[in-house]
């Protein structure tokens, strides 16, 4: 998937647990999902990228304008996406 076809968030920053506001990085979501998938024996990076993009699309609906998601908000959306897409085993490893 090229950068032009990947869902672009309407937000460009996130709030870390420390309260610090930092740039949003799609790759961090991809890597977290891939790490969880690898823990349960699934090594398909493309699947992790697709699930990350679904998560970003869901986040985009919730966070528009000046709203900035926190790390916890993003984690909640990742978990929800994994479970809704039938990847409960990966969701358990992710949590």
């Amino acid at each position: 998937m090229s950068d032009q076809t990947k869902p672009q968030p309407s937000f460009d920053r996130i709030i870390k647990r420390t309260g610090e506001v930092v740039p949003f990085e799609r790759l961090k979501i991809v890597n977290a999902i891939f790490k969880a998938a690898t823990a349960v024996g699934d090594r398909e990076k493309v699947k992790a990228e697709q699930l990350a993009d679904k998560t970003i699309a869901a986040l985009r609906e919730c966070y528009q304008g000046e709203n900035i998601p926190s790390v916890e908000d993003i984690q909640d959306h990742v978990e929800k996406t994994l479970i809704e897409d039938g990847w409960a085993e990966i969701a358990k490893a992710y949590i």
Side-chain angles (χ1 to χ4, degrees):
M1 188 179 281
S2 74
D3 284 339
Q4 293 172 340
T5 59
K6 291 178 187 165
Q8 297 299 313
S10 54
F11 51 89
D12 60 355
R13 301 168 292 160
I14 66 166
I15 302 170
K16 293 177 65 170
R17 286 183 179 84
T18 62
E20 179 183 9
V21 177
V22 298
F24 171 78
E25 295 180 47
R26 172 187 174 269
L27 190 57
K28 286 191 177 191
I29 296 174
V30 172
N31 288 341
I33 293 171
F34 185 63
K35 183 177 177 180
T38 301
V40 297
D42 189 328
R43 298 194 178 353
E44 292 183 48
K45 184 86 174 212
V46 171
K47 184 188 304 178
E49 291 178 351
Q50 292 168 340
L51 290 165
D53 291 340
K54 279 188 162 188
T55 300
I56 292 167
L59 283 162
R60 189 177 342 130
E61 291 179 22
C62 296
Y63 296 94
Q64 299 178 6
E66 294 299 312
N67 293 328
I68 302 173
S70 68
V71 169
E72 290 84 1
D73 295 330
I74 293 170
Q75 288 175 329
D76 291 347
H77 275 82
V78 169
E79 291 170 23
K80 183 177 180 197
T81 298
L82 290 170
I83 291 168
E84 286 178 352
D85 276 29
W87 301 105
E89 189 176 7
I90 294 173
K92 284 174 72 174
Y94 176 81
I95 295 167

